[in-house]
Amino acid sequence: MITKNGSLPDQPPPTNSIGVIGWLRRNLFASVLNTLLTFLALYIIYLGIVPAVNWVFVNSDWVGDSRDACSSGGACWVFIAARINLFMYGFYPEEGYWRINLAFAILVLLLVLLNIRQVPRRGWIAAFTLIGYPIIAFYLFYGGAFGLTVVDTHNWGGLSLTLILSGVGIVASLPIGVVLALGRNSQMPIVKAASIVFIEFWRGVPLITVLFMSSVMLPLFLPEGTSFDKLLRAMIGIVLFESAYMAEVVRGGLAAIPRGQYEAAKALGLNYWKSMTLIILPQALKLVIPGIVNTFIALFKDTTLVLIIGLFDLLTTIEAGFKHVSWLGFAVEGYVFAALIYWIFCFSMSRYSQNLERKLHTGHAR
Amino acid sequence: MTIETANPELTASSAPIIEIVGMHKWYGEFHVLKEINLTVSRGERIVICGPSGSGKSTMIRCINRLEEHQRGQIIVDGIELNDDLKRIDKIRREVGMVFQHFNLFPHLTVLENCCLAPIWVRKMPRKQAEEIAMEYLERVRIPEQAKKYPGQLSGGQQQRVAIARSLCMSPSIMLFDEPTSALDPEMIKEVLDTMISLAESGMTMLVVTHEMGFAKTVANRVIFMDGGQIIEENDPETFFTNPEHERTQLFLSQIM
Ligand SMILES: Nc1ncnc2c1ncn2[C@@H]1O[C@H](COP(=O)(O)OP(=O)(O)O)[C@@H](O)[C@H]1O
Ligand SMILES: [Mg+2]
């Protein structure tokens, strides 16, 4: 039918191409083979899911305080519940748990504030989170001021140690990585060469070697009698290692910024540092959010390697838990619990990054 | 000192604001600009045309030091351009530039694009910078887009924002490098109109463009470049009706 002005009227799309029915037809039952595969896949999922659900929920034991409570044949979550303090706090003295809880509570509060649009002066909160908070957290964890007793770092452990290592790694490696990436793009030959050597050195060695060297070899080079905290050494190793990776991620972002952006900034009279911080980096970092978060996630999981130098992170405390005589044989529960915790953190970071990308999106064209 | 006067014709003939003397430039081995001599008076509007690759962009980019020249002199507003970063900064504050592809900052709103340089380069208080920015956005007739991001605007609107962004630094010279050649035909006029009204306000303008209508109505002088040289320099009347050089004639016959 042609309307008066000669154009065809809009019509609704055919019903079998839209909605749930349309989706099912297109994706699951498009042809005979497709339908067969759909049922086959459903069957395989069924085979895997049923025993897993039985093990985790139906036949599992949740209450009790020793292995005798675990008699149903499924998972023994009693083990996790009984040793949860070890997994969360390591060997931190029990009367000091509140200090760790408080430190993380403050962090969560700050992060929540930072992500609420209506909160005023978020710039200051961000600055406090990056500069003031680490100092407060250090005194809460370590003590030695405000009447808090000193808790030496070899007592730190569990999830809180994992979070400290990855938190420090994340917060320090991004700015160092940015500086290295700028250095690698620099016009000054010495700065450029130094950045390249640094990046390529740290990217060329496995993290496990870095940690091992920091723990075994570094003391050999230091003057006799100087002791250098093992945790601090591990942190420095992780930060240097990860910032080399971060530098390359950021460099990818810098390379994607069109030359016109640099030129427009110059033409307006902005100097190098102002064009970088106001124009180029905000765009470059936004472009590589997925890469940055990817590096963060890798870093978070890489912290498990500190077990080789005798630090007790989450995974190591869990292993220590099921190697104890009273809980021998509950390795599977331990590993499943570890996997769940790591997955929750990594998945949250991944979702947050997608959220951030959407929030920072400013229109279709560049 | 120049005498303040309402008549741009009068100021145009007084003090030179740009002087280029015997300037040469090479890209590596490639001799891209050869013996450029050009004097621009305050308030003058100069249109530069010529075939693609003839060095038009390179020449005007030397004026705000986006490109370095290797021989000769460029003097802008009494300051000779050399490696001294202070001088370069000073000149870039005085010289605005509008690019073919707008080069707006996509992560900032239109208003933030306009306020950025006044705040960070001129150290102007944010409130004052915003007021001035709104004034210029009104002059280019898009104040209602102030809170939008560049990616949400049409090409013509983006180019007008780019012009406003440059004007917010209150430059004494404006450089335009093919400001309309990336635009769809229906948007060219809105940008040219903005440029015409800028010319009427007495701004010194160097415009690389192939919009010959604009050249005829606005320019005091038209310059034709080819092969890195200024081949011909004339008032628009003579340039279009009676070009001296064969190459100019050929070029004009190709584009008109
Ligand atoms: N950064 C550069 N490096 C090397 N050659 C260049 C560069 N920029 C431009 N050129 C060359 O210089 C010549 C003049 O370029 P340009 O000034 O952009 O010409 P126009 O603007 O007149 O089209 C062209 O031959 C171009 O290929
Ligand atoms: Mg050009």
Side-chain angles (χ1 to χ4, degrees):
Chain A
M1 186 187 81
I2 294 196
T3 52
K4 264 195 203 125
N5 60 15
S7 61
L8 290 170
D10 291 343
Q11 289 175 0
T15 38
N16 62 1
S17 72
I18 53 167
V20 179
I21 308 277
W23 186 89
L24 286 175
R25 283 179 68 115
R26 258 195 323 280
N27 293 291
L28 298 179
F29 306 105
S31 65
V32 177
L33 181 63
N34 190 300
T35 309
L36 280 177
L37 285 175
T38 300
F39 283 119
L40 185 64
L42 284 175
Y43 181 63
I44 292 172
I45 292 170
Y46 168 81
L47 286 185
I49 292 262
V50 171
V53 168
N54 280 341
W55 187 79
V56 173
F57 298 106
V58 183
N59 298 330
S60 58
D61 295 291
W62 296 80
V63 280
D65 46 18
S66 76
R67 59 183 306 141
D68 302 333
C70 295
S71 51
S72 313
C76 178
W77 300 124
V78 178
F79 160 56
I80 305 293
R83 307 313 307 271
I84 192 77
N85 282 346
L86 174 71
F87 302 159
M88 293 297 118
Y89 307 103
F91 306 110
Y92 209 86
E94 207 164 333
E95 64 275 13
Y97 285 174
W98 67 270
R99 285 157 58 172
I100 296 184
N101 294 342
L102 179 62
F104 285 113
I106 298 175
L107 181 63
V108 169
L109 176 72
L110 289 170
L111 293 182
V112 168
L113 286 180
L114 279 176
N115 284 288
I116 301 177
R117 238 172 234 274
Q118 292 78 15
V119 174
R121 299 187 197 283
R122 284 195 299 169
W124 289 106
I125 299 177
F128 177 76
T129 309
L130 289 176
I131 299 158
Y133 173 74
I135 300 172
I136 296 176
F138 172 79
Y139 281 114
L140 278 171
F141 278 109
Y142 187 75
F146 315 112
L148 298 173
T149 49
V150 171
V151 179
D152 205 74
T153 54
H154 61 248
N155 289 320
W156 301 10
L159 179 62
S160 46
L161 182 76
T162 295
L163 291 178
I164 292 169
L165 280 169
S166 37
V168 169
I170 285 171
V171 170
S173 66
L174 184 58
I176 299 177
V178 167
V179 170
L180 285 171
L182 293 178
R184 195 169 187 164
N185 280 355
S186 167
Q187 307 277 333
M188 288 178 276
I190 296 180
V191 174
K192 190 184 175 90
S195 307
I196 292 178
V197 169
F198 183 97
I199 292 169
E200 296 305 338
F201 174 79
W202 291 104
R203 281 209 311 164
V205 277
L207 180 58
I208 203 156
T209 318
V210 174
L211 291 172
F212 204 61
M213 287 202 322
S214 77
S215 150
V216 182
M217 295 187 47
L218 199 63
L220 298 180
F221 298 112
L222 291 172
E224 197 121 0
T226 37
S227 85
F228 201 64
D229 189 84
K230 186 155 70 171
L231 177 62
L232 184 60
R233 276 179 285 162
M235 276 179 184
I236 293 174
I238 289 176
V239 166
L240 294 180
F241 181 84
E242 296 295 342
S243 40
Y245 277 89
M246 201 55 83
E248 290 300 280
V249 173
V250 174
R251 192 165 68 102
L254 291 175
I257 304 299
R259 219 174 57 150
Q261 293 288 308
Y262 292 86
E263 292 177 349
K266 272 191 191 174
L268 284 169
L270 294 165
N271 63 23
Y272 175 81
W273 286 109
K274 282 177 191 158
S275 9
M276 284 302 155
T277 52
L278 298 168
I279 309 297
I280 306 300
L281 282 173
Q283 295 183 59
L285 293 179
K286 186 176 102 183
L287 276 179
V288 294
I289 288 173
I292 292 174
V293 174
N294 206 24
T295 311
F296 284 169
I297 289 175
L299 187 159
F300 187 78
K301 294 187 290 188
D302 281 351
T303 57
T304 53
L305 290 174
V306 297
L307 81 94
I308 64 135
I309 59 169
L311 291 175
F312 279 78
D313 75 319
L314 174 64
L315 190 63
T316 324
T317 49
I318 289 176
E319 286 186 331
F322 64 67
K323 281 177 182 152
H324 192 273
V325 275
S326 52
W327 294 105
L328 274 177
F330 294 118
V332 180
E333 284 84 348
Y335 285 128
V336 167
F337 179 67
L340 177 71
I341 301 278
Y342 282 107
W343 183 81
I344 288 172
F345 278 95
C346 295
F347 184 68
S348 314
M349 282 194 262
S350 148
R351 295 308 302 206
Y352 182 72
S353 94
Q354 285 171 22
N355 192 354
L356 199 62
E357 270 180 85
R358 220 169 307 131
K359 215 156 59 179
L360 294 177
H361 186 70
T362 57
H364 4 271
R366 311 217 309 129
Chain B
M1 289 292 338
T2 50
I3 303 148
E4 282 294 327
T5 163
N7 183 350
E9 290 301 329
L10 200 67
T11 35
S13 56
S14 53
I17 191 165
I18 301 174
E19 274 186 279
I20 303 178
V21 186
M23 190 260 278
H24 291 252
K25 171 166 180 63
W26 288 262
Y27 281 126
E29 291 287 302
F30 175 49
H31 198 169
V32 56
L33 293 178
K34 300 170 186 164
E35 192 62 27
I36 303 287
N37 290 294
L38 178 68
T39 305
V40 182
S41 305
R42 212 173 269 277
E44 222 179 352
R45 279 100 47 193
I46 294 181
V47 162
I48 300 157
C49 59
S52 170
S54 58
K56 309 177 295 292
S57 300
T58 308
M59 185 181 83
I60 66 164
R61 289 156 61 90
C62 281
I63 295 173
N64 64 351
R65 198 69 167 188
L66 287 186
E67 301 289 353
E68 262 174 65
H69 62 284
Q70 279 89 25
R71 197 197 290 170
Q73 282 182 306
I74 300 177
I75 301 164
V76 181
D77 213 4
I79 305 170
E80 181 174 355
L81 269 175
N82 55 21
D83 290 332
D84 184 358
L85 288 176
K86 280 230 171 68
R87 291 189 185 193
I88 297 174
D89 281 347
K90 207 164 175 185
I91 284 171
R92 284 186 183 154
R93 262 174 267 166
E94 294 306 314
V95 181
M97 186 160 200
V98 175
F99 300 86
Q100 182 177 357
H101 296 287
F102 333 131
N103 297 352
L104 292 176
F105 306 130
H107 62 303
L108 301 176
T109 63
V110 164
L111 187 64
E112 288 164 341
N113 263 278
C114 293
C115 292
L116 185 96
I119 291 173
W120 291 94
V121 180
R122 288 227 188 271
K123 313 276 181 230
M124 195 183 277
R126 175 172 296 272
K127 202 160 173 299
Q128 190 189 348
E130 281 179 0
E131 278 165 19
I132 292 176
M134 286 311 296
E135 247 167 63
Y136 281 112
L137 286 173
E138 258 155 50
R139 253 177 78 176
V140 300
R141 287 172 292 123
I142 33 177
E144 71 283 359
Q145 313 283 7
K147 294 272 178 270
K148 285 198 186 163
Y149 286 95
Q152 299 164 319
L153 304 186
S154 74
Q157 291 173 321
Q158 290 192 51
Q159 193 61 297
R160 284 185 284 147
V161 173
I163 294 173
R165 177 177 72 176
S166 284
L167 293 177
C168 283
M169 284 292 283
S170 31
S172 38
I173 301 163
M174 286 286 286
L175 308 173
F176 293 83
D177 192 359
E178 307 207 29
T180 56
S181 43
L183 296 177
D184 293 335
E186 75 269 21
M187 294 173 188
I188 291 178
K189 190 176 175 301
E190 64 187 56
V191 171
L192 290 181
D193 285 347
T194 308
M195 290 167 63
I196 290 170
S197 87
L198 187 60
E200 283 163 355
S201 75
M203 176 66 74
T204 310
M205 294 163 71
L206 271 78
V207 185
V208 175
T209 185
H210 292 155
E211 292 295 329
M212 290 306 144
F214 176 82
K216 279 177 197 162
T217 49
V218 175
N220 306 90
R221 243 191 307 165
V222 182
I223 286 173
F224 174 71
M225 286 184 73
D226 195 9
Q229 283 173 285
I230 295 183
I231 303 291
E232 183 158 350
E233 193 178 336
N234 243 321
D235 61 283
E237 175 75 25
T238 326
F239 186 87
F240 289 110
T241 53
N242 200 4
E244 282 167 30
H245 274 265
E246 221 172 286
R247 276 197 268 181
T248 319
Q249 288 162 12
L250 184 67
F251 175 75
L252 287 176
S253 71
Q254 278 165 352
I255 64 160
M256 307 261 273

